[in-house]
Amino acid sequence: MKLIIQIPCYNEAETLEVALNDLPEHIDGIDEIEYLVINDGSQDNTVEVARNWGVHHIVSFKQNQGLAKGFLAGLDGCLRCGADIIVNTDADDQYKGADIEKIVRPILDGEADIVIGARPIDETEHFSYIKKKLQHLGSWAVRRASKTDIPDAPSGFRAFSREAAMKLNVVNDYTYTLETIVQAGRENIPMKSVPIRTNAELRPSRLFKSMWGYVKKSILTILRAYVMYKPLKAFTYLCVPFLAIGIGIGIRFLYYMSIGQSGGKVQSLILGCTLIIIGVLVFVIGILADTIAANRRILQDIQFHVKSIEYGRHDPDINIVGSHRRKERGA
């Protein structure tokens, strides 16, 4: 059983070594542990720090691509290197390395294919009151959209089985955390949450520049993921108000016509017909979107089988810059 711990990095030279030193070297049930760093176009000496520490594999972008693309590139690299389990953690040492054993245990025991570490948000001192409330609100929205019970959706401390990693797709450029939960929930991928601990903050978060920017992007990500995986339901909800108001106006016009007072109310009839037409068009769009979604599921199934064949080769040299032997700590 091979575990690869991946760490997305963008200018993390100051904190990367701290995070790496905190990672476990042995876990019961794991035969081999390797480390992979995703260099997302860093302009400092992040790569040099990783190589000097003895990181086994480095996946590099020439310029910054964002957290979502870096995450997917890391999964691809880990799968090509033969990982049976993949753990994603942060380069700022936000999560305790000792808790990696807690999030891989449900996968080892066959209880889940994705495990997400739930942070003690209310007890985290460097989280502001507003941020804590927004974290809870965002997690609630993701639970509703994904039909799961994950309490900490924005948490990036996660473990994936090989099969789950091959099934995941992320289409937004912002972050993978919310979309992957919605996808896993809607695709019935077994998922579990375990409580974890966090370390003191080493640097401010770089994921968003303002609280409003974070909220806006998170809402758009959740809505987009929901529409992608449940398009017919989403467009049905959208068309109902148009149809209801349009039909209501039509019934009102028929009532006045039955009592001979329809004169001067033609405008409302036109409005009602327009709203009904819009509602029908939205519903038709939903049917088309649902057909496209069915097509996407077929393509995902094909993609999964292609990946099974491709990653079965365990070729660690494809698209991976630098493959190194792990140095013993203190050597």
Side-chain angles (χ1 to χ4, degrees):
M1 184 67 69
K2 184 175 184 178
L3 165 67
I4 297 184
I5 303 171
Q6 71 171 35
I7 308 177
C9 295
Y10 178 61
N11 296 333
E12 302 285 6
E14 294 183 2
T15 61
L16 179 58
E17 188 171 359
V18 177
L20 288 169
N21 287 335
D22 196 36
L23 298 179
E25 292 185 308
H26 173 75
I27 294 175
D28 290 339
I30 301 292
D31 302 311
E32 188 178 359
I33 300 178
E34 293 184 357
Y35 313 94
L36 181 144
V37 161
I38 302 122
N39 170 39
D40 192 10
S42 298
Q43 298 173 350
D44 62 1
N45 61 334
T46 295
V47 173
E48 183 180 346
V49 171
R51 285 177 174 162
N52 289 340
W53 189 85
V55 167
H56 297 83
H57 315 286
I58 299 174
V59 177
S60 282
F61 290 130
K62 293 181 180 179
Q63 63 182 23
N64 183 255
Q65 299 292 320
L67 185 59
K69 290 185 178 179
F71 169 76
L72 288 179
L75 290 187
D76 180 79
C78 291
L79 290 169
R80 291 182 185 278
C81 292
D84 297 297
I85 300 176
I86 300 168
V87 166
N88 186 87
T89 188
D90 284 357
D92 61 358
D93 197 40
Q94 177 183 173
Y95 310 108
K96 287 189 177 292
D99 286 342
I100 287 178
E101 181 170 6
K102 293 178 66 176
I103 66 171
V104 301
R105 186 58 54 190
I107 296 178
L108 290 172
D109 294 342
E111 298 175 359
D113 283 326
I114 299 177
V115 182
I116 300 174
R119 297 165 293 179
I121 294 175
D122 291 326
E123 288 77 39
T124 304
E125 295 182 358
H126 60 268
F127 281 5
S128 66
Y129 175 81
I130 295 177
K131 184 174 182 179
K132 291 176 182 178
K133 295 304 178 184
L134 289 175
Q135 293 273 14
H136 287 307
L137 179 61
S139 296
W140 172 82
V142 171
R143 286 196 296 272
R144 293 297 301 270
S146 63
K147 291 190 175 180
T148 63
D149 58 354
I150 301 301
D152 186 9
S155 172
F157 195 44
R158 305 181 173 202
F160 305 89
S161 69
R162 182 175 181 83
E163 183 176 350
M166 288 192 290
K167 290 180 178 179
L168 290 178
N169 287 293
V170 179
V171 298
N172 80 88
D173 295 327
Y174 174 53
T175 180
Y176 62 90
T177 55
L178 308 179
E179 184 179 339
T180 50
I181 293 177
V182 176
Q183 179 190 355
R186 292 296 174 177
E187 299 292 336
N188 295 318
I189 298 175
M191 189 163 36
K192 187 175 182 178
S193 176
V194 297
I196 59 166
R197 299 163 295 170
T198 56
N199 295 312
E201 185 179 39
L202 295 181
R203 60 159 177 78
S205 173
R206 296 173 182 166
L207 187 57
F208 54 92
K209 297 180 180 179
S210 67
M211 196 64 67
W212 166 243
Y214 170 75
V215 172
K216 182 175 65 175
K217 289 183 177 179
S218 296
I219 291 173
L220 290 175
T221 299
I222 295 170
L223 289 176
R224 185 178 183 181
Y226 184 78
V227 171
M228 180 179 296
Y229 294 103
K230 286 292 179 181
L232 185 57
K233 182 179 287 188
F235 281 99
T236 298
Y237 287 150
L238 192 60
C239 80
V240 165
F242 292 101
L243 290 175
I245 296 173
I247 292 172
I249 293 174
I251 293 173
R252 174 178 175 272
F253 178 82
L254 291 175
Y255 167 75
Y256 280 111
M257 186 175 68
S258 68
I259 61 176
Q261 298 180 13
S262 61
K265 294 182 173 58
V266 177
Q267 296 91 337
S268 63
L269 177 63
I270 295 173
L271 175 61
C273 292
T274 302
L275 291 174
I276 291 173
I277 291 171
I278 292 173
V280 171
L281 288 176
V282 171
F283 184 72
V284 170
I285 292 173
I287 294 175
L288 293 175
D290 192 61
T291 304
I292 294 172
N295 231 2
R296 177 184 50 77
R297 286 192 290 271
I298 294 172
L299 291 174
Q300 282 184 335
D301 189 56
I302 294 172
Q303 181 188 50
F304 173 75
H305 287 90
V306 169
K307 285 182 177 180
S308 299
I309 297 171
E310 182 179 1
Y311 294 140
R313 299 170 187 162
H314 295 341
D315 187 348
D317 297 322
I318 302 175
N319 292 338
I320 299 178
V321 180
S323 186
H324 311 278
R325 270 220 179 268
R326 170 76 178 93
K327 296 177 182 177
E328 293 297 328
R329 295 179 190 172

